[in-house]
Amino acid sequence: MMQAARQQALGYVRALPAEEPQSLFVLVVDVGYCIDVYSNFAGVGDSFVPFPDQARFRLPLAALADEGTRLLLRQVWLEPRELDPSRRDARVTRELAGYLAGVSAQLERAGHPAETVAQFLMRCLFTMFSEDVGLIPKASFTGMLRTYSTPELREFLPDALRGLWATMDTGGFSPDLKARLRRFNGKLFHDATALPLTADQMALLLKTAEADWTEVEPAIFGLG
């Protein structure tokens, strides 16, 4: 029934006059049960796909009790382009690049060579990405940074990072992450240098780690 209703809705889209603005969303409603959400940010004909993905496009009616769901539907009607994943990814990437630029500038002013700083931050970035895509346990690296951000432990952060990255280079058990890690090849973590951080630098790095790295554009891995 929902598929038939979707095809009917797409028929309405195809019947719109050519001068009408491009439709970005199609909502298919089973009254009293659910709302199916489809998007077409590519602007290609009537190629509407499940939004945000195949697993989450169906909103049960009970989900309307959630503020996040209501905000999503509000944006569908009032700010549909703000939901474009490419725009969101670019916005998140710019924000994180700003944090990293702040850390980089401070470390270079402290006398660390630019190449050393760039490689250090690249290892941090890739480790953040790894926890968000499940290559290492979820939230494990962020939790580690949070632990070592305290005044009494911050001086030990470089040692902890070197230990973690040495384990990622070879594979094995990481005491700080409390997990057995696979081996990461490519030499990124081979003989890895870790730099000491001030409280301000630690705060910026932690903000960066707390972001969702699945929403970050791959170009950020070319920083430095």
Side-chain angles (χ1 to χ4, degrees):
M1 183 179 69
M2 292 295 279
Q3 281 302 314
R6 177 174 180 268
Q7 290 305 316
Q8 183 179 4
L10 293 180
Y12 297 149
V13 171
R14 288 190 287 268
L16 289 172
E19 63 271 15
E20 285 290 320
Q22 172 68 42
S23 296
L24 299 180
F25 282 95
V26 162
L27 303 183
V28 182
V29 181
D30 184 345
V31 177
Y33 175 58
C34 69
I35 303 172
D36 287 359
V37 184
Y38 299 91
S39 65
N40 182 11
F41 291 111
V44 180
D46 57 0
S47 300
F48 286 81
V49 297
F51 179 88
D53 53 45
Q54 187 68 43
R56 295 178 291 168
F57 77 103
R58 175 160 291 174
L59 303 176
L61 202 64
L64 293 177
D66 177 65
E67 175 60 28
T69 301
R70 296 197 300 273
L71 176 60
L72 168 68
L73 293 174
R74 194 176 301 126
Q75 285 186 288
V76 166
W77 289 104
L78 302 178
E79 301 174 310
R81 291 202 175 276
E82 289 301 308
L83 294 170
D84 185 343
S86 65
R87 294 184 64 165
R88 183 177 64 248
D89 292 356
R91 188 165 55 246
V92 171
T93 303
R94 285 195 301 271
E95 182 179 4
L96 295 184
Y99 294 151
L100 292 168
V103 176
S104 178
Q106 290 183 30
L107 288 173
E108 289 184 33
R109 283 198 299 269
H112 299 290
E115 180 63 23
T116 300
V117 171
Q119 289 298 316
F120 168 67
L121 292 178
M122 185 65 67
R123 285 188 285 272
C124 289
L125 265 64
F126 191 82
T127 311
M128 294 170 191
F129 174 77
S130 296
E131 71 172 356
D132 283 349
V133 299
L135 296 177
I136 62 176
K138 294 283 188 179
S140 59
F141 184 57
T142 301
M144 174 181 164
L145 291 178
R146 194 173 291 119
T147 296
Y148 284 96
S149 68
T150 60
E152 60 273 16
L153 291 180
R154 193 170 61 248
E155 65 176 293
F156 302 117
L157 176 66
D159 299 295
L161 289 175
R162 280 192 294 269
L164 169 62
W165 291 337
T167 302
M168 293 176 73
D169 184 53
T170 61
F173 181 75
S174 167
D176 273 302
L177 301 195
K178 298 177 177 60
R180 188 169 298 280
L181 308 182
R182 67 188 72 188
R183 175 177 177 264
F184 291 76
N185 59 15
K187 303 299 183 182
L188 178 62
F189 300 111
H190 188 63
D191 291 332
T193 299
L195 301 177
L197 299 177
T198 66
D200 287 344
Q201 293 159 3
M202 191 72 223
L204 287 172
L205 195 64
L206 191 53
K207 277 187 178 181
T208 307
E210 289 169 345
D212 183 355
W213 280 81
T214 63
E215 296 183 348
V216 176
E217 293 180 335
I220 198 171
F221 289 101
L223 289 177

